Amino acid sequence: MSVVTGIGVVAPNGLGVERYWKSTVEGSVGIGELTRFDSSGYSSRLAGQVLDLDVAEHLPSKLLPQTDVSTRMALVAAQWALEDSAVDVGSMTDYDMGVVTANAAGGFEFTHREFHKLWSQGPRHVSVYESFAWFYAVNTGQISIRHGMRGPSTALVAEQAGGLDAIGHARRTVRRGTPLVVTGGVDSAFDPWGWVSHLSSGRVSTGSDPTRAYQPFDRDASGYVPGEGGAILVVEDEAAARARGARIYGEIAGYASTFDPPPDSGRPPALGRAAELALADAGVEPSQVDVVFADSVGVAELDRAEARVIRELFTPFGVPVTAPKALTGRLFSGGGPLDVVAALMSIKDGVIPPTAGTAEVPADYGIDLVLGEPRKADVGTALVLARGRWGFNAAIVVRRVSPDQRS
Amino acid sequence: MTKLTIDDIRRVLVECAGGDEASKWTGDVSALDFDELGYDSLALMETATRLQLDYGVHLPEDEIAEVRTPGELLDFVNGRLAEAA
């Protein structure tokens, strides 16, 4: 059994799991006008920015010249997760610790700056660190190097679905015999080049009200707001975690990923199959699921498709559904892991956070979206869904572990 | 003729590869290995590239790879500057 023993969060509405969770339950929004550069000429101007993280306070100065902002956030989140887990990394064998992270954008801002040097000053001015700072595997690599973790390690790329794939693969890695794996995802791409890349999806909201621009499942849904940050988790073999007396947040009980058929195939998207396979993997019936953390793109066609999946699997209005990402924006590889954190905290505190901003869900969606106020609920099992652009789907089942349970 | 000091080496190294502790360098530390100071081969490459751009000196990559300490780097750069003068 793979259990979560440590959580590190870098989110637009809160640094650290406690502040993120408080903001999420209270509905504190982390979305605002994009201030990383002059965005006044762009069609969309709202973003979920992490504005209060002083990386120099947390990271050795030698790591700064060689890291993109996204990698710095990943390193801080990993450090917090390890501190939260109270594991003594130094006492463990390096090959018994792995790192599995997802990444969707790579080191965008860093690369933008180096490309600017390349074209304006010439190749000799490009930083040698660009050789890896851009790279999808860089967060896995830097976490591995910093904490001396030489066990099986991987990087996964599947747009917004990738973060759940990473956690699923971390569970697989634990099952194959690695006692501890650091996992999750963090992304950031808020330089001008990164921003136009976001806008190229055609799904970014052009709204100007931070509380209304991203309204998952709303009848007036008009796109999503991009965000930055994410979450890193420490996943351990349950026996190893119990042997060292670790606090256990919950179990990663099931996982599945699927890929959509071609758009012109006439066959339905494969999100529903991912959800079914993840439940089967966990040995859980739909009736046993207490809450669904939905992917919730905030685009009518995609919301409708996801609502149909949930309705058909759980019966109409058969399970509470929520989308706390309305407060942070979509974090790409960070989105799924942050939802897993929210699911674990729902289990811990017995409360389902609301979907901020959303006012009215079309009746024919047939979903019980938690709106307005947090809802008290005894949450034992949660399903987390994620879709990545171009056909990626992933689902994770998170389950409560009772303190005296033995595997 | 331009002649660098150990302070110039320290400044460029810190700008290129970080490291606050380098601000406490004395002459003795300049004899420590880059490894011991926490600088890897990439840090040295980045620093060498910057020295070449800033001081107009050519530092062949294979020879830079042989340099082990800040003191050796200083001597190497000043030697190349003297040859070019």
Side-chain angles (χ1 to χ4, degrees):
Chain A
M1 186 194 286
S2 296
V3 295
V4 177
T5 58
I7 297 175
V9 169
V10 173
N13 64 344
L15 298 178
V17 60
E18 284 178 19
R19 281 159 69 184
Y20 161 71
W21 181 239
K22 186 168 187 289
S23 294
T24 296
V25 172
E26 290 174 353
S28 298
V29 69
I31 290 168
E33 186 185 315
L34 180 59
T35 53
R36 206 62 64 78
F37 60 95
D38 178 8
S39 63
S40 56
Y42 294 80
S43 55
S44 299
R45 300 188 57 197
L46 291 181
Q49 297 168 102
V50 174
L51 297 170
D52 49 355
L53 180 66
D54 180 2
V55 289
E57 192 183 305
H58 301 287
L59 298 177
S61 66
K62 280 176 187 149
L63 279 173
L64 301 183
Q66 56 177 276
T67 44
D68 179 68
V69 57
S70 56
T71 302
R72 295 170 183 178
M73 289 179 187
L75 283 165
V76 171
Q79 180 181 320
W80 287 346
L82 287 164
E83 286 169 5
D84 187 47
S85 77
V87 69
D88 180 6
V89 170
S91 73
M92 289 185 65
T93 304
D94 49 3
Y95 287 99
D96 282 344
M97 299 179 285
V99 185
V100 180
T101 69
N103 197 294
F108 236 94
E109 186 177 293
F110 193 106
T111 297
H112 185 174
R113 188 179 67 230
E114 297 310 316
F115 275 24
H116 184 258
K117 288 189 208 164
L118 173 67
W119 292 323
S120 61
Q121 296 172 277
R124 280 157 56 86
H125 291 260
V126 175
S127 167
V128 65
Y129 297 118
E130 174 63 15
S131 59
F132 59 77
W134 71 273
F135 184 36
Y136 299 113
V138 71
N139 294 349
T140 286
Q142 289 283 21
I143 293 167
S144 160
I145 292 166
R146 186 167 187 219
H147 298 288
M149 299 177 165
R150 296 173 181 231
S153 296
T154 303
L156 291 153
V157 180
E159 220 252 6
Q160 177 93 11
L164 294 188
D165 288 329
I167 296 172
H169 188 69
R171 171 171 170 262
R172 190 182 290 138
T173 304
V174 168
R175 193 185 281 159
R176 287 173 180 166
T178 302
L180 183 149
V181 180
V182 172
T183 187
V186 172
D187 264 304
S188 173
F190 285 162
D191 60 288
W193 178 35
W195 190 241
V196 296
S197 302
H198 282 302
L199 301 190
S200 73
S201 75
R203 297 171 178 173
V204 176
S205 171
T206 55
S208 57
D209 178 352
T211 64
R212 307 278 293 172
Y214 178 25
Q215 298 176 283
F217 297 106
D218 195 281
R219 59 178 295 174
D220 296 326
S222 59
Y224 68 87
V225 170
E228 65 180 343
I232 299 288
L233 311 176
V234 176
V235 171
E236 291 185 74
D237 172 60
E238 192 207 8
R242 293 212 185 271
R244 68 176 186 87
R247 173 203 34 210
I248 293 173
Y249 285 101
E251 178 196 3
I252 304 300
Y255 159 72
S257 69
T258 58
F259 200 76
D260 287 341
D264 56 359
S265 70
R267 289 181 281 142
L271 179 67
R273 201 154 47 84
E276 288 171 16
L277 290 170
L279 291 176
D281 187 33
V284 163
E285 295 296 324
S287 61
Q288 294 172 283
V289 173
D290 300 305
V291 60
V292 175
F293 287 80
D295 176 57
S296 35
V297 179
V299 170
E301 180 195 353
L302 292 161
D303 285 354
R304 185 173 292 279
E306 187 174 27
R308 179 178 173 177
V309 163
I310 295 169
R311 187 175 71 233
E312 290 183 349
L313 192 54
F314 295 98
T315 74
F317 305 98
V319 65
V321 179
T322 192
K325 59 171 67 74
L327 294 169
T328 64
R330 287 174 74 77
L331 305 188
F332 300 85
S333 75
L338 198 59
D339 278 345
V340 167
V341 169
L344 290 165
M345 297 309 284
S346 288
I347 289 171
K348 178 172 173 281
D349 288 355
V351 62
I352 300 171
T355 304
T358 298
E360 190 182 340
V361 180
D364 65 337
Y365 280 12
I367 58 166
D368 171 19
L369 194 70
V370 178
L371 295 176
E373 297 292 318
R375 187 186 296 180
K376 280 191 167 39
D378 181 25
V379 179
T381 302
L383 175 68
V384 181
L385 302 177
R387 287 174 293 188
R389 203 174 158 216
W390 303 295
F392 300 101
N393 305 283
I396 287 253
V397 177
V398 178
R399 187 160 52 196
R400 177 165 52 206
V401 176
S402 60
D404 56 353
Q405 189 175 326
R406 294 284 181 272
S407 57
Chain B
M1 185 192 83
T2 312
K3 196 162 186 291
L4 273 62
T5 66
I6 196 69
D7 284 339
D8 295 320
I9 297 289
R10 182 190 67 199
R11 176 179 50 76
V12 175
L13 188 58
V14 171
E15 281 173 15
C16 289
D20 300 329
E21 59 273 35
S23 62
K24 301 186 190 80
W25 276 11
T26 65
D28 292 347
V29 181
S30 68
L32 288 177
D33 274 14
F34 283 114
D35 277 353
E36 288 175 65
L37 293 166
Y39 295 106
D40 59 15
S41 59
L42 286 178
L44 193 54
M45 271 178 71
E46 183 79 349
T47 303
T49 302
R50 219 3 219 295
L51 289 167
Q52 298 187 75
L53 291 167
D54 287 359
Y55 296 99
V57 59
H58 180 56
L59 307 172
E61 222 168 274
D62 52 342
E63 292 185 49
I64 278 292
E66 302 295 315
V67 170
R68 293 281 171 262
T69 69
E72 282 180 28
L73 180 59
L74 176 67
D75 292 344
F76 181 56
V77 174
N78 280 335
R80 299 289 300 190
L81 282 166
E83 278 174 37

